[in-house]
Amino acid sequence: ILYVLVVVVYVYVLYKWVDRRNSHFARSSLMFQTLSELASVLGLGGAELVRGRYDELASVNSSRRSVAGNVIGAMIIPFYIIYVFHFLNKDFVRHSERESILIRELIGALRERDPSLALSAEEFRTVGDRSTLLYVILMIVTLGLFNVYWVYVLTKDPNEHFESHANVESKLIASFERIVA
């Protein structure tokens, strides 16, 4: 019974990780597309640069990962889970780095028209780049116990990114509202 429970939790967690990756990337892309278009419509200085940064972000976010395919792969292919752990971290790293650059450009463009914008790019949390090879070695050395930490950081890092995303988004939207008003 314990084994079945562990497998069910394992499948659920994998499903949620890949699904939230896809959902966040799609939502983030839509939001930044809207904000970059709004910056152009409002004639903000640097709007073209913001649009260029959005295009870079969109190219990183364009690929959706198959939720079912990755869950099934991890269930039937030995060590496939390491690949899933790897792409989850690396995809979030690339995504958050591009978002950070875009946010920096957007803040600069908004500050010209809204000097009261109380936001710095440092408030935005990027996801740390973790070494898959090192983590695999540590998993082998600890006879799998390091896997618990790996699961923890694969959950914690995106969660912190999402929290900072919400904070930055609300400040960006408030700035656009002040400019439009």
Side-chain angles (χ1 to χ4, degrees):
I1 292 174
L2 182 61
Y3 179 75
V4 171
L5 180 63
V6 167
V7 169
V8 168
V9 169
Y10 174 75
V11 167
Y12 177 75
V13 168
L14 280 176
Y15 171 85
K16 292 303 284 182
W17 277 342
V18 179
D19 182 57
R20 78 181 183 156
R21 174 220 174 264
N22 290 340
S23 298
H24 175 70
F25 285 15
R27 182 189 170 286
S28 171
S29 187
L30 180 61
M31 184 200 64
F32 284 119
Q33 177 186 18
T34 303
L35 293 181
S36 69
E37 289 172 359
L38 188 55
S40 292
V41 167
L42 293 174
L44 297 180
E48 299 81 26
L49 190 54
V50 169
R51 180 60 188 198
R53 297 298 186 189
Y54 164 72
D55 291 340
E56 290 175 14
L57 176 66
S59 70
V60 170
N61 291 354
S62 64
S63 65
R64 287 186 56 84
R65 299 284 184 167
S66 169
V67 177
N70 282 294
V71 169
I72 292 169
M75 297 298 296
I76 62 174
I77 300 172
F79 307 111
Y80 186 84
I81 190 66
I82 293 170
Y83 169 71
V84 174
F85 285 10
H86 171 76
F87 84 67
L88 282 170
N89 178 251
K90 299 305 179 191
D91 286 358
F92 269 113
V93 167
R94 282 190 302 274
H95 164 80
S96 67
E97 287 172 350
R98 294 286 195 277
E99 276 185 326
S100 179
I101 294 168
L102 173 58
I103 287 168
R104 189 175 313 279
E105 299 296 341
L106 199 51
I107 289 170
L110 286 168
R111 256 219 189 99
E112 292 177 11
R113 299 268 294 277
D114 181 17
S116 67
L117 176 61
L119 176 64
S120 73
E122 288 71 34
E123 291 180 50
F124 184 73
R125 177 154 182 334
T126 58
V127 175
D129 192 2
R130 306 205 182 256
S131 170
T132 303
L133 179 60
L134 175 63
Y135 279 29
V136 167
I137 291 169
L138 289 170
M139 224 169 63
I140 292 168
V141 168
T142 63
L143 303 175
L145 291 177
F146 189 79
N147 194 43
V148 173
Y149 177 74
W150 202 352
V151 166
Y152 168 74
V153 296
L154 282 173
T155 304
K156 178 187 77 70
D157 287 351
N159 284 348
E160 289 176 354
H161 171 73
F162 300 154
E163 286 175 21
S164 74
H165 218 288
N167 179 41
V168 167
E169 280 178 27
S170 65
K171 290 179 180 180
L172 289 173
I173 291 169
S175 179
F176 273 107
E177 287 173 344
R178 285 190 297 271
I179 291 170
V180 170

